[in-house]
Amino acid sequence: MVWLPNMIVVALLAGAFILFRTVRRNRFWTESIARLWRRRRFSLIIIGLYLAVALLDTISWVGGSASENASDVVAAHKPRSVIDRIFQPDSFMEISYSEPFADVGFYGEQPLAHPGKHILGTDILGQDVFYRSLKGVKIALLIGGLTTLIVIPIALIFGLAAGYFGGRVDDVVFFVMSTLASIPNLLLLIALIIVLGTGPVQVCVALGVTGWVGFCRLTRGETLKLREADYVQAAKALGASHLRIITRHIIPNLAHLIVITFALQFTGLVLAETVLAYLGIGLDGSWGQMIDQARNELSRSPVIWWNLAGATVLLFTLVLCVNLCADALRDILDPRTRKEAQ
Amino acid sequence: MFAYIVRRLAYGAVTVLGVLLLLFVLFFAIADPDDIARQAIGERASAEVYEQWKVNHGYDKPLVINAEHGVLEPGRYTDTLLFEHYRSMLTFDFGRSDADDVPIAERLRQGALPSLSLTLPLFALSLVVGVFFALLVAFFRDTYVDFAVLVMCMLAMSVASLIYIIAGQYLIGLTLKWFPISGFDADPALVIRFLALPIIIGVIASFGGDVRLYRTVFIEETNKDYVRTARAKGCGDARVMVRHVLRNALIPILTSVVLAIPFLFVGSLLFENFFGIPGLGAITVEAINGNDFSTLRTMVYISALLFIVAQILTDISYTLADPRVRLS
Amino acid sequence: MSRALVELQNLKVTFPTPQGRVAVVDDVSISLEEGKVLALVGESGCGKSMTALALMRLVPKPGRIEDGSGIRFNDIDVPTLSVPEMRALRGNEMSMIFQDSMTSLNPVVRVGDQVVEAIRLHERISYDAARKRVLELFERVGIPDPEQRFSTYPHLLSGGLKQRVMISMAVATRPRLLIADEPTTALDVTVQAQILELLRELKRELGTTILLITHDLAVVNELADHVVVMYAGKVVEQAERRTLLTSARHPYTEGLLGAIPQRGERGKGLNEIEGVVPPPDEWPAGCRFSSRCNQLFAPCRDNAPPEVSFGEGHVAWCHALDKGAGS
Ligand SMILES: Nc1ncnc2c1ncn2[C@@H]1O[C@H](COP(=O)(O)OP(=O)(O)OP(=O)(O)O)[C@@H](O)[C@H]1O
Ligand SMILES: [Mg+2]
């Protein structure tokens, strides 16, 4: 399975390129992106850094020395990512806790193997906290990104079908939505994960099932409105096919909603994972799990705070930047403010 | 009017059946009864023990069709897990916990009060605090006060609730020692001390999102024509806000908030578990950790049922109260 | 000649746009004599409402009254008033009936209480006394069954009744100036006539000065003493009612007059104006009407039109008229 993560990287880069090509031809989107860049330069750069870390953590191959202990056959045949190769986690570790930049261990004061090199100290197993926090980036983006990739097509298809065709289709979609919406999100999520099992794909599917309803309702409502719009009626009168009307006239007018929802949903998902981690059904190696493990360390005396701080700060920064961008995007793309600006 | 109420009730009933169907698919079709039994009593019991356990907990029937009965016998369809599931849920006969055989109804009765004693004040206080600050911010809109509070909200929204709990317990409970850090007491005089910490933390955790949301409602309201009329009459800004804008904005705010009320009964998973409050939320977390499927699905069912009922009630009372809604 | 109650001097109201601030009311100077009715006429989007709102200092954000605008009301310099002084003026000395009575009443406050508030903001009287006054007012403005109407909510009233409530709210404090912003636009024809009749009676009884905003010249004919025609934020012509209706000079006014068919007897033929008022940031340099004018010639596009006077207060701003007068 060495090839899978690398294929994902290739697919993502290809997708990004195609997106770039399509967007570049559209003046509205290029202008919106330029405005977003002017207003949220800093956040965008930080998000870019996170993306870069996640990519570096996905590109991986077998080979090179996994640890000084060359006889460790299993470790030698495990693919390791660029980040792993930079940090060499198997050798870059201590016996147990050590403070950030410390020269000696936290308990016992014995000298460290790598004095002054652990920017965020080490955890109870002696692992570098900074390395573990960086590993969390990929998982966070996976939770947010993969789930949203599941949610948006489903919600779009059902929302469009319900809103555009109405009648029976609408009744069925509406019923499914109201059924799912009547169960508290967290409980439904837990039930799904308990039944499906924990694992990245299962968790993302569970998050997707609970998350699509809101967006679907939005799509349905918006489509209902657009269906009655003059230009759609005109296209219909000219004999355009349903498919053409939907792809040419309706989806482009939903695009701004998709973008805003993506951004808002993303932060909600990343934050929700911490709760799942607390309940013991989160993803291995996620920030939520780090926070959950670190929470008892606060009551130690003297306090061990760096474990908590690493994950918290990275999580907070990512969510804040995405929130800021979502906010700006809403301003830029909102048709109401757009009209006022005209 | 009457027809509308009947239709609304019927739709609510259908939604309940839909929820039950979903639960059936999740907890019986996807989760295998054999797995459930194994998780409940361990891997190394004999086959008879598993069978006995399944009989005791009602997992021993075929899923949808019982082939032991003939095609025309009703038993073919009623002597099944599906039928049994619907029957027990609809008659509130929840049976026993998969994990420790305690009757689930008993659990629910014990947990409801602690849950409500946490969530109700938390809910009310969050609402009041959120509306108050949003009103203040809307009053000072487009000034530095507004900007500062918005920045604060944005920062506050980006912090995970788990962090609020951990940090709050550490700062207020451990360092300042104002309140006990966790626990519960049935005595109303003592319970306040135990509930204070989770309530304070809960209000802070929901502050950012609430204020931003309510502010939008207020600002939208201040752009309406009747506000201009009020100002043309000679109302001052403060009076316009409190007498005119607040009253109108409370309608959408309350409508959205009313639907959160049924979930108060189910308590808060995070807070109850963290602060040792023996409510329904804590019971649910226990059920998660103990793979107690019967308790879990009952909790899901109960909360969905409460939500559907609340929704019907609000819908009906709105149509009764406000003719504008009835028209649309 | 009686003195001026309202005097606007070079009033300028601007709104920000991506291209910078544009003036939606530009250099407007109007004077309104005590006890008279002045009609402000023009198509939708000409800045009529903004002019009136500026007078009450109610221009909505992000709009603003530019420095150097002179607003005098009853010899008070309005822009320099403090906020409480302004508040004491609003609803008391000057009050306004708004364009859209459907949305201009607070939907969750009983209509009676909304009028009571208007009174009690300016007079220290008890609720019951105010309530009695409101019931009398309702009776006076022709609201049937005032006791019962007092405690209903706006959405239960018809458009005409709502407008009557608005009117009673505006006249409750016997203001010296009543601004009526298209008081009849949202109503159907028979109700329109009743409301106009009511305004005429109120004017006679109370001697109120009225600033009447409308785009309906029939309403002007019914009520006005003096008419000011606005186009795209500028005054283009002003005159006594009779003069304006019979011998309007500006092409825009002629177009407006042409737009109402029953004035066909004027013998000038119908010359309806094509199109609509463009949005403020697309207003032409030079004469603002140049993009739609049918008597266009060289200087119109680039130079501001000159003031041309025809005597007895009849003034128009137009290049075509200037040439005509000069030759
Ligand atoms: N909030 C705003 N932001 C930007 N421009 C505005 C705003 N409000 C009004 N305007 C502009 O000011 C101009 C004048 O508006 P105003 O309401 O005074 O027109 P009006 O003559 O009263 O028209 P109507 O007959 O429709 O009431 C309009 O062209 C409008 O585009
Ligand atoms: Mg207007």
Side-chain angles (χ1 to χ4, degrees), chain B residues 10-73:
Chain B
Y11 194 77
V14 175
T15 316
V16 171
L17 297 182
V19 169
L20 284 176
L21 185 65
L22 178 73
L23 286 179
F24 179 77
V25 171
L26 280 179
F27 285 98
F28 292 92
I30 298 183
D32 182 23
D34 286 321
D35 280 346
I36 302 176
R38 217 168 303 134
Q39 277 166 349
I41 45 183
E43 295 286 342
R44 274 187 286 171
S46 66
E48 294 89 73
V49 177
Y50 285 135
E51 286 313 313
Q52 190 54 47
W53 187 89
K54 277 164 68 178
V55 172
N56 286 349
H57 290 87
Y59 287 110
D60 58 331
K61 294 173 184 165
L63 277 182
V64 187
I65 291 175
N66 192 338
E68 284 171 21
H69 297 272
V71 181
L72 292 176
E73 288 177 55

Side-chain angles (χ1 to χ4, degrees), chain A residues 174-175 178-179 182-184 186-187 190 192 194-195 278-279 291 295 298 303 312 316 320 323 327 330 336, chain B residues 11 14 18-19 26 30 154-155 158 163 166 170 212 220 263 269-270 273-274 288 293 300 303-304 307:
Chain A
F174 196 80
F175 172 70
S178 52
T179 303
S182 58
I183 303 174
L186 190 56
L187 275 181
I190 289 165
L192 283 166
I194 291 268
V195 170
Y278 173 75
L279 298 174
I291 293 171
R295 74 189 147 93
L298 272 188
V303 174
T312 306
F316 172 73
L320 180 63
N323 267 342
D327 213 38
R330 196 168 22 193
R336 265 187 302 179
Chain B
Y11 194 77
V14 175
V19 169
L26 280 179
I30 298 183
M154 189 50 112
L155 294 176
S158 305
I163 297 290
I166 295 174
Y170 177 70
R212 264 175 64 96
E220 200 156 287
F263 296 156
L269 300 187
L270 215 53
N273 186 265
F274 209 102
I288 296 165
F293 285 25
V300 177
S303 48
F307 179 82

